[in-house]
Amino acid sequence: MQTTVRDLASEAQVRQLLAVDNQRLHFFAADLNHDAGWSEAMAGCTHAAHLASPLPRGVPKHPDELIVPARDGALRALRAAKAAGVKCFVMTSSVAAVAYGRGRGEHHFTEADWTDPTVPGLTAYILSKTASERAAREWVQREGGGIEFCSINPSVVLGPLWSRDYSSSVSVVQLLLNGAMPALPDIGFGVVDVRDVADLHVRALDAPNMAGERFIASGPFLKLRDIADILHAQLGAQAHKVPTRGVPDWLVRLIARFNPVARAVVGELGSVRHQDASHAKAVLGWAPRPVEQSIFACARALLRLGVVKA
């Protein structure tokens, strides 16, 4: 088995987190922005999972800061996979490429749907995930040869953490727990457990006939108020900073004039996005755990690691 890190100096730390110290797992240095290392990392592989894409905690100055490395990084990995003779390529995309830009109201999405990147107000992350998956699929159609390409499209990924180096998805729970979000805007998202996302990747890598497949990985859609209620119910006094009040849409729009984070959510105020994961369940036998377990595991890890003080 082979994997990549941006800098081999982090190999020992990753091995420690994975509890792996043997000759079966080999590390290679590779970066989404550079060609070096990808051919070596893919050499001898028959199956590949492309997991990495930038997800910042802040708002980038320009969308291309995310779009270019996400799109070009996926294409670098695909070119190296083809040259190495990889048969199956699983790409981590996102429901950001499926279910955004529809505005207020209740919407239902399947793998047949795509986010329209021409809709004003979409975040750089949404644009990057849409562009990178589109580009990967178009490349496979033109130049992929016999590669079986499929994508996994998770919603907001929560669950347990190994260390203080964690995905920006977790910041949703962190901001609620530490009181940085004084009130709850009318926004939400689907939630999925990191362990279930990993399980779905393995199932797709092992399954036959994956060419062109696309799998939404999401539990039910939750508003921020729902997540806050779950935290209060599960953590009791440790959730004393979690807000209980809502904030009116007009105030979010006012704040958005001066705050780029608020500006990024204005377009999703009042939107309910049901992302149907029945395809993954039917084709791959995927069975995700209840979202309450994922939210609780995430919160407990943030408290245990000292990221949030109770």
Side-chain angles (χ1 to χ4, degrees), residues 155 191-197 199-200 203 216-220 277-278 280-282 285-291 293-294:
S155 53
V191 170
V192 65
D193 195 284
V194 63
R195 294 164 290 187
D196 296 327
V197 175
D199 174 62
L200 188 53
R203 289 171 184 268
I216 288 175
S218 180
S278 60
K281 296 173 184 177
W286 188 57
R289 69 203 68 208
V291 291
Q293 293 181 16
S294 306

mmCIF file with all atom_site columns, all heavy atoms in Angstrom, residues 155 191-197 199-200 203 216-220 277-278 280-282 285-291 293-294:
data_model
loop_
_atom_site.group_PDB
_atom_site.id
_atom_site.type_symbol
_atom_site.label_atom_id
_atom_site.label_alt_id
_atom_site.label_comp_id
_atom_site.label_asym_id
_atom_site.label_entity_id
_atom_site.label_seq_id
_atom_site.pdbx_PDB_ins_code
_atom_site.Cartn_x
_atom_site.Cartn_y
_atom_site.Cartn_z
_atom_site.occupancy
_atom_site.B_iso_or_equiv
_atom_site.pdbx_formal_charge
_atom_site.auth_seq_id
_atom_site.auth_comp_id
_atom_site.auth_asym_id
_atom_site.auth_atom_id
_atom_site.pdbx_PDB_model_num
ATOM 1   N N   . SER A 1 155 ? -21.329 14.934 2.583  1.00 0.00 ? 155 SER A N   1
ATOM 2   C CA  . SER A 1 155 ? -21.805 16.200 3.137  1.00 0.00 ? 155 SER A CA  1
ATOM 3   C C   . SER A 1 155 ? -20.800 16.630 4.209  1.00 0.00 ? 155 SER A C   1
ATOM 4   O O   . SER A 1 155 ? -19.623 16.272 4.142  1.00 0.00 ? 155 SER A O   1
ATOM 5   C CB  . SER A 1 155 ? -23.215 16.028 3.697  1.00 0.00 ? 155 SER A CB  1
ATOM 6   O OG  . SER A 1 155 ? -23.257 14.940 4.606  1.00 0.00 ? 155 SER A OG  1
ATOM 7   N N   . VAL A 1 191 ? -25.127 15.764 7.402  1.00 0.00 ? 191 VAL A N   1
ATOM 8   C CA  . VAL A 1 191 ? -23.999 15.360 8.245  1.00 0.00 ? 191 VAL A CA  1
ATOM 9   C C   . VAL A 1 191 ? -23.706 13.889 7.983  1.00 0.00 ? 191 VAL A C   1
ATOM 10  O O   . VAL A 1 191 ? -24.630 13.076 7.828  1.00 0.00 ? 191 VAL A O   1
ATOM 11  C CB  . VAL A 1 191 ? -24.315 15.578 9.736  1.00 0.00 ? 191 VAL A CB  1
ATOM 12  C CG1 . VAL A 1 191 ? -23.258 14.932 10.627 1.00 0.00 ? 191 VAL A CG1 1
ATOM 13  C CG2 . VAL A 1 191 ? -24.420 17.071 10.040 1.00 0.00 ? 191 VAL A CG2 1
ATOM 14  N N   . VAL A 1 192 ? -22.398 13.540 7.943  1.00 0.00 ? 192 VAL A N   1
ATOM 15  C CA  . VAL A 1 192 ? -21.988 12.160 7.776  1.00 0.00 ? 192 VAL A CA  1
ATOM 16  C C   . VAL A 1 192 ? -20.756 11.919 8.638  1.00 0.00 ? 192 VAL A C   1
ATOM 17  O O   . VAL A 1 192 ? -19.969 12.830 8.895  1.00 0.00 ? 192 VAL A O   1
ATOM 18  C CB  . VAL A 1 192 ? -21.705 11.836 6.288  1.00 0.00 ? 192 VAL A CB  1
ATOM 19  C CG1 . VAL A 1 192 ? -20.515 12.622 5.769  1.00 0.00 ? 192 VAL A CG1 1
ATOM 20  C CG2 . VAL A 1 192 ? -21.517 10.348 6.066  1.00 0.00 ? 192 VAL A CG2 1
ATOM 21  N N   . ASP A 1 193 ? -20.594 10.692 9.110  1.00 0.00 ? 193 ASP A N   1
ATOM 22  C CA  . ASP A 1 193 ? -19.471 10.342 9.976  1.00 0.00 ? 193 ASP A CA  1
ATOM 23  C C   . ASP A 1 193 ? -18.234 10.020 9.149  1.00 0.00 ? 193 ASP A C   1
ATOM 24  O O   . ASP A 1 193 ? -18.317 9.343  8.119  1.00 0.00 ? 193 ASP A O   1
ATOM 25  C CB  . ASP A 1 193 ? -19.847 9.125  10.835 1.00 0.00 ? 193 ASP A CB  1
ATOM 26  C CG  . ASP A 1 193 ? -18.896 8.931  11.998 1.00 0.00 ? 193 ASP A CG  1
ATOM 27  O OD1 . ASP A 1 193 ? -17.759 8.456  11.770 1.00 0.00 ? 193 ASP A OD1 1
ATOM 28  O OD2 . ASP A 1 193 ? -19.283 9.244  13.143 1.00 0.00 ? 193 ASP A OD2 1
ATOM 29  N N   . VAL A 1 194 ? -17.080 10.475 9.622  1.00 0.00 ? 194 VAL A N   1
ATOM 30  C CA  . VAL A 1 194 ? -15.827 10.232 8.908  1.00 0.00 ? 194 VAL A CA  1
ATOM 31  C C   . VAL A 1 194 ? -15.562 8.742  8.742  1.00 0.00 ? 194 VAL A C   1
ATOM 32  O O   . VAL A 1 194 ? -15.025 8.298  7.723  1.00 0.00 ? 194 VAL A O   1
ATOM 33  C CB  . VAL A 1 194 ? -14.649 10.932 9.638  1.00 0.00 ? 194 VAL A CB  1
ATOM 34  C CG1 . VAL A 1 194 ? -14.432 10.380 11.038 1.00 0.00 ? 194 VAL A CG1 1
ATOM 35  C CG2 . VAL A 1 194 ? -13.372 10.843 8.812  1.00 0.00 ? 194 VAL A CG2 1
ATOM 36  N N   . ARG A 1 195 ? -15.955 7.933  9.730  1.00 0.00 ? 195 ARG A N   1
ATOM 37  C CA  . ARG A 1 195 ? -15.759 6.486  9.636  1.00 0.00 ? 195 ARG A CA  1
ATOM 38  C C   . ARG A 1 195 ? -16.622 5.879  8.539  1.00 0.00 ? 195 ARG A C   1
ATOM 39  O O   . ARG A 1 195 ? -16.215 4.929  7.850  1.00 0.00 ? 195 ARG A O   1
ATOM 40  C CB  . ARG A 1 195 ? -16.059 5.849  10.994 1.00 0.00 ? 195 ARG A CB  1
ATOM 41  C CG  . ARG A 1 195 ? -15.078 6.253  12.085 1.00 0.00 ? 195 ARG A CG  1
ATOM 42  C CD  . ARG A 1 195 ? -15.596 5.948  13.475 1.00 0.00 ? 195 ARG A CD  1
ATOM 43  N NE  . ARG A 1 195 ? -16.721 6.831  13.837 1.00 0.00 ? 195 ARG A NE  1
ATOM 44  C CZ  . ARG A 1 195 ? -17.275 6.869  15.049 1.00 0.00 ? 195 ARG A CZ  1
ATOM 45  N NH1 . ARG A 1 195 ? -16.808 6.070  16.006 1.00 0.00 ? 195 ARG A NH1 1
ATOM 46  N NH2 . ARG A 1 195 ? -18.273 7.700  15.316 1.00 0.00 ? 195 ARG A NH2 1
ATOM 47  N N   . ASP A 1 196 ? -17.804 6.432  8.352  1.00 0.00 ? 196 ASP A N   1
ATOM 48  C CA  . ASP A 1 196 ? -18.688 5.927  7.302  1.00 0.00 ? 196 ASP A CA  1
ATOM 49  C C   . ASP A 1 196 ? -18.233 6.380  5.918  1.00 0.00 ? 196 ASP A C   1
ATOM 50  O O   . ASP A 1 196 ? -18.414 5.654  4.932  1.00 0.00 ? 196 ASP A O   1
ATOM 51  C CB  . ASP A 1 196 ? -20.115 6.388  7.569  1.00 0.00 ? 196 ASP A CB  1
ATOM 52  C CG  . ASP A 1 196 ? -20.677 5.798  8.856  1.00 0.00 ? 196 ASP A CG  1
ATOM 53  O OD1 . ASP A 1 196 ? -20.307 4.654  9.192  1.00 0.00 ? 196 ASP A OD1 1
ATOM 54  O OD2 . ASP A 1 196 ? -21.455 6.484  9.543  1.00 0.00 ? 196 ASP A OD2 1
ATOM 55  N N   . VAL A 1 197 ? -17.637 7.567  5.834  1.00 0.00 ? 197 VAL A N   1
ATOM 56  C CA  . VAL A 1 197 ? -17.070 8.023  4.561  1.00 0.00 ? 197 VAL A CA  1
ATOM 57  C C   . VAL A 1 197 ? -15.909 7.113  4.169  1.00 0.00 ? 197 VAL A C   1
ATOM 58  O O   . VAL A 1 197 ? -15.779 6.701  3.005  1.00 0.00 ? 197 VAL A O   1
ATOM 59  C CB  . VAL A 1 197 ? -16.613 9.486  4.652  1.00 0.00 ? 197 VAL A CB  1
ATOM 60  C CG1 . VAL A 1 197 ? -15.911 9.915  3.362  1.00 0.00 ? 197 VAL A CG1 1
ATOM 61  C CG2 . VAL A 1 197 ? -17.806 10.403 4.923  1.00 0.00 ? 197 VAL A CG2 1
ATOM 62  N N   . ASP A 1 199 ? -15.464 4.011  5.074  1.00 0.00 ? 199 ASP A N   1
ATOM 63  C CA  . ASP A 1 199 ? -16.054 2.722  4.716  1.00 0.00 ? 199 ASP A CA  1
ATOM 64  C C   . ASP A 1 199 ? -16.592 2.736  3.295  1.00 0.00 ? 199 ASP A C   1
ATOM 65  O O   . ASP A 1 199 ? -16.414 1.767  2.535  1.00 0.00 ? 199 ASP A O   1
ATOM 66  C CB  . ASP A 1 199 ? -17.173 2.392  5.707  1.00 0.00 ? 199 ASP A CB  1
ATOM 67  C CG  . ASP A 1 199 ? -17.944 1.138  5.316  1.00 0.00 ? 199 ASP A CG  1
ATOM 68  O OD1 . ASP A 1 199 ? -17.332 0.055  5.270  1.00 0.00 ? 199 ASP A OD1 1
ATOM 69  O OD2 . ASP A 1 199 ? -19.157 1.255  5.043  1.00 0.00 ? 199 ASP A OD2 1
ATOM 70  N N   . LEU A 1 200 ? -17.222 3.828  2.897  1.00 0.00 ? 200 LEU A N   1
ATOM 71  C CA  . LEU A 1 200 ? -17.775 3.913  1.542  1.00 0.00 ? 200 LEU A CA  1
ATOM 72  C C   . LEU A 1 200 ? -16.668 3.929  0.494  1.00 0.00 ? 200 LEU A C   1
ATOM 73  O O   . LEU A 1 200 ? -16.807 3.314  -0.581 1.00 0.00 ? 200 LEU A O   1
ATOM 74  C CB  . LEU A 1 200 ? -18.654 5.162  1.425  1.00 0.00 ? 200 LEU A CB  1
ATOM 75  C CG  . LEU A 1 200 ? -19.460 5.304  0.126  1.00 0.00 ? 200 LEU A CG  1
ATOM 76  C CD1 . LEU A 1 200 ? -20.293 4.063  -0.157 1.00 0.00 ? 200 LEU A CD1 1
ATOM 77  C CD2 . LEU A 1 200 ? -20.348 6.536  0.196  1.00 0.00 ? 200 LEU A CD2 1
ATOM 78  N N   . ARG A 1 203 ? -15.501 0.331  0.096  1.00 0.00 ? 203 ARG A N   1
ATOM 79  C CA  . ARG A 1 203 ? -16.487 -0.437 -0.654 1.00 0.00 ? 203 ARG A CA  1
ATOM 80  C C   . ARG A 1 203 ? -16.403 -0.133 -2.152 1.00 0.00 ? 203 ARG A C   1
ATOM 81  O O   . ARG A 1 203 ? -16.504 -1.046 -2.987 1.00 0.00 ? 203 ARG A O   1
ATOM 82  C CB  . ARG A 1 203 ? -17.898 -0.138 -0.137 1.00 0.00 ? 203 ARG A CB  1
ATOM 83  C CG  . ARG A 1 203 ? -18.173 -0.720 1.254  1.00 0.00 ? 203 ARG A CG  1
ATOM 84  C CD  . ARG A 1 203 ? -19.508 -0.216 1.816  1.00 0.00 ? 203 ARG A CD  1
ATOM 85  N NE  . ARG A 1 203 ? -19.706 -0.696 3.167  1.00 0.00 ? 203 ARG A NE  1
ATOM 86  C CZ  . ARG A 1 203 ? -20.349 -1.814 3.485  1.00 0.00 ? 203 ARG A CZ  1
ATOM 87  N NH1 . ARG A 1 203 ? -20.887 -2.548 2.522  1.00 0.00 ? 203 ARG A NH1 1
ATOM 88  N NH2 . ARG A 1 203 ? -20.481 -2.195 4.734  1.00 0.00 ? 203 ARG A NH2 1
ATOM 89  N N   . ILE A 1 216 ? -23.561 9.768  -3.260 1.00 0.00 ? 216 ILE A N   1
ATOM 90  C CA  . ILE A 1 216 ? -23.759 10.737 -2.180 1.00 0.00 ? 216 ILE A CA  1
ATOM 91  C C   . ILE A 1 216 ? -23.556 10.027 -0.848 1.00 0.00 ? 216 ILE A C   1
ATOM 92  O O   . ILE A 1 216 ? -24.072 8.926  -0.623 1.00 0.00 ? 216 ILE A O   1
ATOM 93  C CB  . ILE A 1 216 ? -25.164 11.358 -2.255 1.00 0.00 ? 216 ILE A CB  1
ATOM 94  C CG1 . ILE A 1 216 ? -25.256 12.324 -3.441 1.00 0.00 ? 216 ILE A CG1 1
ATOM 95  C CG2 . ILE A 1 216 ? -25.532 12.067 -0.954 1.00 0.00 ? 216 ILE A CG2 1
ATOM 96  C CD1 . ILE A 1 216 ? -26.650 12.884 -3.671 1.00 0.00 ? 216 ILE A CD1 1
ATOM 97  N N   . ALA A 1 217 ? -22.777 10.658 0.034  1.00 0.00 ? 217 ALA A N   1
ATOM 98  C CA  . ALA A 1 217 ? -22.566 10.133 1.386  1.00 0.00 ? 217 ALA A CA  1
ATOM 99  C C   . ALA A 1 217 ? -23.080 11.170 2.368  1.00 0.00 ? 217 ALA A C   1
ATOM 100 O O   . ALA A 1 217 ? -22.390 12.133 2.694  1.00 0.00 ? 217 ALA A O   1
ATOM 101 C CB  . ALA A 1 217 ? -21.079 9.849  1.625  1.00 0.00 ? 217 ALA A CB  1
ATOM 102 N N   . SER A 1 218 ? -24.309 10.979 2.818  1.00 0.00 ? 218 SER A N   1
ATOM 103 C CA  . SER A 1 218 ? -24.909 11.979 3.690  1.00 0.00 ? 218 SER A CA  1
ATOM 104 C C   . SER A 1 218 ? -26.005 11.360 4.533  1.00 0.00 ? 218 SER A C   1
ATOM 105 O O   . SER A 1 218 ? -26.724 10.463 4.081  1.00 0.00 ? 218 SER A O   1
ATOM 106 C CB  . SER A 1 218 ? -25.497 13.135 2.872  1.00 0.00 ? 218 SER A CB  1
ATOM 107 O OG  . SER A 1 218 ? -26.079 14.114 3.717  1.00 0.00 ? 218 SER A OG  1
ATOM 108 N N   . GLY A 1 219 ? -26.114 11.860 5.757  1.00 0.00 ? 219 GLY A N   1
ATOM 109 C CA  . GLY A 1 219 ? -27.271 11.571 6.583  1.00 0.00 ? 219 GLY A CA  1
ATOM 110 C C   . GLY A 1 219 ? -28.317 12.652 6.380  1.00 0.00 ? 219 GLY A C   1
ATOM 111 O O   . GLY A 1 219 ? -28.295 13.381 5.387  1.00 0.00 ? 219 GLY A O   1
ATOM 112 N N   . PRO A 1 220 ? -29.227 12.790 7.317  1.00 0.00 ? 220 PRO A N   1
ATOM 113 C CA  . PRO A 1 220 ? -30.310 13.776 7.167  1.00 0.00 ? 220 PRO A CA  1
ATOM 114 C C   . PRO A 1 220 ? -29.802 15.204 7.220  1.00 0.00 ? 220 PRO A C   1
ATOM 115 O O   . PRO A 1 220 ? -28.750 15.488 7.807  1.00 0.00 ? 220 PRO A O   1
ATOM 116 C CB  . PRO A 1 220 ? -31.222 13.475 8.363  1.00 0.00 ? 220 PRO A CB  1
ATOM 117 C CG  . PRO A 1 220 ? -30.332 12.821 9.365  1.00 0.00 ? 220 PRO A CG  1
ATOM 118 C CD  . PRO A 1 220 ? -29.350 12.017 8.573  1.00 0.00 ? 220 PRO A CD  1
ATOM 119 N N   . ALA A 1 277 ? -28.957 9.437  -0.153 1.00 0.00 ? 277 ALA A N   1
ATOM 120 C CA  . ALA A 1 277 ? -27.841 8.482  -0.174 1.00 0.00 ? 277 ALA A CA  1
ATOM 121 C C   . ALA A 1 277 ? -28.302 7.057  -0.470 1.00 0.00 ? 277 ALA A C   1
ATOM 122 O O   . ALA A 1 277 ? -27.537 6.109  -0.256 1.00 0.00 ? 277 ALA A O   1
ATOM 123 C CB  . ALA A 1 277 ? -27.109 8.523  1.165  1.00 0.00 ? 277 ALA A CB  1
ATOM 124 N N   . SER A 1 278 ? -29.505 6.886  -0.979 1.00 0.00 ? 278 SER A N   1
ATOM 125 C CA  . SER A 1 278 ? -30.037 5.534  -1.190 1.00 0.00 ? 278 SER A CA  1
ATOM 126 C C   . SER A 1 278 ? -29.249 4.768  -2.245 1.00 0.00 ? 278 SER A C   1
ATOM 127 O O   . SER A 1 278 ? -29.209 3.525  -2.218 1.00 0.00 ? 278 SER A O   1
ATOM 128 C CB  . SER A 1 278 ? -31.512 5.597  -1.576 1.00 0.00 ? 278 SER A CB  1
ATOM 129 O OG  . SER A 1 278 ? -31.705 6.338  -2.767 1.00 0.00 ? 278 SER A OG  1
ATOM 130 N N   . ALA A 1 280 ? -25.920 4.690  -2.689 1.00 0.00 ? 280 ALA A N   1
ATOM 131 C CA  . ALA A 1 280 ? -24.793 4.037  -2.023 1.00 0.00 ? 280 ALA A CA  1
ATOM 132 C C   . ALA A 1 280 ? -25.262 2.857  -1.189 1.00 0.00 ? 280 ALA A C   1
ATOM 133 O O   . ALA A 1 280 ? -24.586 1.823  -1.108 1.00 0.00 ? 280 ALA A O   1
ATOM 134 C CB  . ALA A 1 280 ? -24.042 5.045  -1.148 1.00 0.00 ? 280 ALA A CB  1
ATOM 135 N N   . LYS A 1 281 ? -26.411 2.983  -0.573 1.00 0.00 ? 281 LYS A N   1
ATOM 136 C CA  . LYS A 1 281 ? -26.944 1.891  0.252  1.00 0.00 ? 281 LYS A CA  1
ATOM 137 C C   . LYS A 1 281 ? -27.343 0.702  -0.616 1.00 0.00 ? 281 LYS A C   1
ATOM 138 O O   . LYS A 1 281 ? -27.082 -0.454 -0.265 1.00 0.00 ? 281 LYS A O   1
ATOM 139 C CB  . LYS A 1 281 ? -28.140 2.396  1.060  1.00 0.00 ? 281 LYS A CB  1
ATOM 140 C CG  . LYS A 1 281 ? -27.779 3.492  2.060  1.00 0.00 ? 281 LYS A CG  1
ATOM 141 C CD  . LYS A 1 281 ? -29.021 4.090  2.719  1.00 0.00 ? 281 LYS A CD  1
ATOM 142 C CE  . LYS A 1 281 ? -28.657 5.238  3.640  1.00 0.00 ? 281 LYS A CE  1
ATOM 143 N NZ  . LYS A 1 281 ? -29.845 5.882  4.245  1.00 0.00 ? 281 LYS A NZ  1
ATOM 144 N N   . ALA A 1 282 ? -27.958 0.986  -1.769 1.00 0.00 ? 282 ALA A N   1
ATOM 145 C CA  . ALA A 1 282 ? -28.442 -0.093 -2.633 1.00 0.00 ? 282 ALA A CA  1
ATOM 146 C C   . ALA A 1 282 ? -27.302 -0.795 -3.369 1.00 0.00 ? 282 ALA A C   1
ATOM 147 O O   . ALA A 1 282 ? -27.275 -2.027 -3.461 1.00 0.00 ? 282 ALA A O   1
ATOM 148 C CB  . ALA A 1 282 ? -29.456 0.460  -3.633 1.00 0.00 ? 282 ALA A CB  1
ATOM 149 N N   . GLY A 1 285 ? -24.193 -1.441 -0.329 1.00 0.00 ? 285 GLY A N   1
ATOM 150 C CA  . GLY A 1 285 ? -24.560 -1.941 0.991  1.00 0.00 ? 285 GLY A CA  1
ATOM 151 C C   . GLY A 1 285 ? -24.130 -1.038 2.128  1.00 0.00 ? 285 GLY A C   1
ATOM 152 O O   . GLY A 1 285 ? -23.947 -1.481 3.259  1.00 0.00 ? 285 GLY A O   1
ATOM 153 N N   . TRP A 1 286 ? -24.009 0.238  1.837  1.00 0.00 ? 286 TRP A N   1
ATOM 154 C CA  . TRP A 1 286 ? -23.528 1.215  2.825  1.00 0.00 ? 286 TRP A CA  1
ATOM 155 C C   . TRP A 1 286 ? -24.591 1.429  3.898  1.00 0.00 ? 286 TRP A C   1
ATOM 156 O O   . TRP A 1 286 ? -25.776 1.559  3.609  1.00 0.00 ? 286 TRP A O   1
ATOM 157 C CB  . TRP A 1 286 ? -23.215 2.525  2.115  1.00 0.00 ? 286 TRP A CB  1
ATOM 158 C CG  . TRP A 1 286 ? -22.547 3.559  2.949  1.00 0.00 ? 286 TRP A CG  1
ATOM 159 C CD1 . TRP A 1 286 ? -21.374 3.445  3.632  1.00 0.00 ? 286 TRP A CD1 1
ATOM 160 C CD2 . TRP A 1 286 ? -23.007 4.908  3.153  1.00 0.00 ? 286 TRP A CD2 1
ATOM 161 N NE1 . TRP A 1 286 ? -21.064 4.640  4.253  1.00 0.00 ? 286 TRP A NE1 1
ATOM 162 C CE2 . TRP A 1 286 ? -22.050 5.541  3.975  1.00 0.00 ? 286 TRP A CE2 1
ATOM 163 C CE3 . TRP A 1 286 ? -24.122 5.628  2.727  1.00 0.00 ? 286 TRP A CE3 1
ATOM 164 C CZ2 . TRP A 1 286 ? -22.185 6.880  4.382  1.00 0.00 ? 286 TRP A CZ2 1
ATOM 165 C CZ3 . TRP A 1 286 ? -24.256 6.943  3.126  1.00 0.00 ? 286 TRP A CZ3 1
ATOM 166 C CH2 . TRP A 1 286 ? -23.296 7.560  3.938  1.00 0.00 ? 286 TRP A CH2 1
ATOM 167 N N   . ALA A 1 287 ? -24.157 1.483  5.166  1.00 0.00 ? 287 ALA A N   1
ATOM 168 C CA  . ALA A 1 287 ? -25.091 1.673  6.272  1.00 0.00 ? 287 ALA A CA  1
ATOM 169 C C   . ALA A 1 287 ? -24.500 2.673  7.260  1.00 0.00 ? 287 ALA A C   1
ATOM 170 O O   . ALA A 1 287 ? -23.802 2.282  8.208  1.00 0.00 ? 287 ALA A O   1
ATOM 171 C CB  . ALA A 1 287 ? -25.371 0.344  6.963  1.00 0.00 ? 287 ALA A CB  1
ATOM 172 N N   . PRO A 1 288 ? -24.739 3.974  7.077  1.00 0.00 ? 288 PRO A N   1
ATOM 173 C CA  . PRO A 1 288 ? -24.160 4.978  7.972  1.00 0.00 ? 288 PRO A CA  1
ATOM 174 C C   . PRO A 1 288 ? -24.810 4.954  9.343  1.00 0.00 ? 288 PRO A C   1
ATOM 175 O O   . PRO A 1 288 ? -25.979 4.575  9.502  1.00 0.00 ? 288 PRO A O   1
ATOM 176 C CB  . PRO A 1 288 ? -24.454 6.296  7.250  1.00 0.00 ? 288 PRO A CB  1
ATOM 177 C CG  . PRO A 1 288 ? -25.690 6.009  6.446  1.00 0.00 ? 288 PRO A CG  1
ATOM 178 C CD  . PRO A 1 288 ? -25.563 4.575  6.016  1.00 0.00 ? 288 PRO A CD  1
ATOM 179 N N   . ARG A 1 289 ? -24.047 5.377  10.344 1.00 0.00 ? 289 ARG A N   1
ATOM 180 C CA  . ARG A 1 289 ? -24.558 5.413  11.718 1.00 0.00 ? 289 ARG A CA  1
ATOM 181 C C   . ARG A 1 289 ? -25.414 6.663  11.939 1.00 0.00 ? 289 ARG A C   1
ATOM 182 O O   . ARG A 1 289 ? -25.352 7.605  11.139 1.00 0.00 ? 289 ARG A O   1
ATOM 183 C CB  . ARG A 1 289 ? -23.386 5.382  12.699 1.00 0.00 ? 289 ARG A CB  1
ATOM 184 C CG  . ARG A 1 289 ? -22.531 6.619  12.728 1.00 0.00 ? 289 ARG A CG  1
ATOM 185 C CD  . ARG A 1 289 ? -21.153 6.290  13.274 1.00 0.00 ? 289 ARG A CD  1
ATOM 186 N NE  . ARG A 1 289 ? -20.436 5.452  12.334 1.00 0.00 ? 289 ARG A NE  1
ATOM 187 C CZ  . ARG A 1 289 ? -19.494 4.572  12.678 1.00 0.00 ? 289 ARG A CZ  1
ATOM 188 N NH1 . ARG A 1 289 ? -19.158 4.440  13.944 1.00 0.00 ? 289 ARG A NH1 1
ATOM 189 N NH2 . ARG A 1 289 ? -18.887 3.842  11.761 1.00 0.00 ? 289 ARG A NH2 1
ATOM 190 N N   . PRO A 1 290 ? -26.203 6.709  12.997 1.00 0.00 ? 290 PRO A N   1
ATOM 191 C CA  . PRO A 1 290 ? -27.027 7.898  13.281 1.00 0.00 ? 290 PRO A CA  1
ATOM 192 C C   . PRO A 1 290 ? -26.164 9.147  13.454 1.00 0.00 ? 290 PRO A C   1
ATOM 193 O O   . PRO A 1 290 ? -25.080 9.081  14.053 1.00 0.00 ? 290 PRO A O   1
ATOM 194 C CB  . PRO A 1 290 ? -27.730 7.533  14.590 1.00 0.00 ? 290 PRO A CB  1
ATOM 195 C CG  . PRO A 1 290 ? -27.733 6.044  14.629 1.00 0.00 ? 290 PRO A CG  1
ATOM 196 C CD  . PRO A 1 290 ? -26.454 5.619  13.969 1.00 0.00 ? 290 PRO A CD  1
ATOM 197 N N   . VAL A 1 291 ? -26.639 10.276 12.953 1.00 0.00 ? 291 VAL A N   1
ATOM 198 C CA  . VAL A 1 291 ? -25.845 11.504 12.998 1.00 0.00 ? 291 VAL A CA  1
ATOM 199 C C   . VAL A 1 291 ? -25.597 11.969 14.433 1.00 0.00 ? 291 VAL A C   1
ATOM 200 O O   . VAL A 1 291 ? -24.591 12.628 14.699 1.00 0.00 ? 291 VAL A O   1
ATOM 201 C CB  . VAL A 1 291 ? -26.516 12.634 12.188 1.00 0.00 ? 291 VAL A CB  1
ATOM 202 C CG1 . VAL A 1 291 ? -26.481 12.316 10.706 1.00 0.00 ? 291 VAL A CG1 1
ATOM 203 C CG2 . VAL A 1 291 ? -27.938 12.882 12.659 1.00 0.00 ? 291 VAL A CG2 1
ATOM 204 N N   . GLN A 1 293 ? -24.626 10.211 16.873 1.00 0.00 ? 293 GLN A N   1
ATOM 205 C CA  . GLN A 1 293 ? -23.375 9.592  17.297 1.00 0.00 ? 293 GLN A CA  1
ATOM 206 C C   . GLN A 1 293 ? -22.174 10.353 16.743 1.00 0.00 ? 293 GLN A C   1
ATOM 207 O O   . GLN A 1 293 ? -21.169 10.528 17.438 1.00 0.00 ? 293 GLN A O   1
ATOM 208 C CB  . GLN A 1 293 ? -23.323 8.136  16.844 1.00 0.00 ? 293 GLN A CB  1
ATOM 209 C CG  . GLN A 1 293 ? -24.335 7.224  17.510 1.00 0.00 ? 293 GLN A CG  1
ATOM 210 C CD  . GLN A 1 293 ? -24.208 5.786  17.039 1.00 0.00 ? 293 GLN A CD  1
ATOM 211 O OE1 . GLN A 1 293 ? -23.200 5.389  16.445 1.00 0.00 ? 293 GLN A OE1 1
ATOM 212 N NE2 . GLN A 1 293 ? -25.238 4.990  17.298 1.00 0.00 ? 293 GLN A NE2 1
ATOM 213 N N   . SER A 1 294 ? -22.276 10.798 15.504 1.00 0.00 ? 294 SER A N   1
ATOM 214 C CA  . SER A 1 294 ? -21.175 11.514 14.864 1.00 0.00 ? 294 SER A CA  1
ATOM 215 C C   . SER A 1 294 ? -20.945 12.868 15.525 1.00 0.00 ? 294 SER A C   1
ATOM 216 O O   . SER A 1 294 ? -19.796 13.274 15.763 1.00 0.00 ? 294 SER A O   1
ATOM 217 C CB  . SER A 1 294 ? -21.474 11.708 13.378 1.00 0.00 ? 294 SER A CB  1
ATOM 218 O OG  . SER A 1 294 ? -21.769 10.469 12.761 1.00 0.00 ? 294 SER A OG  1
#
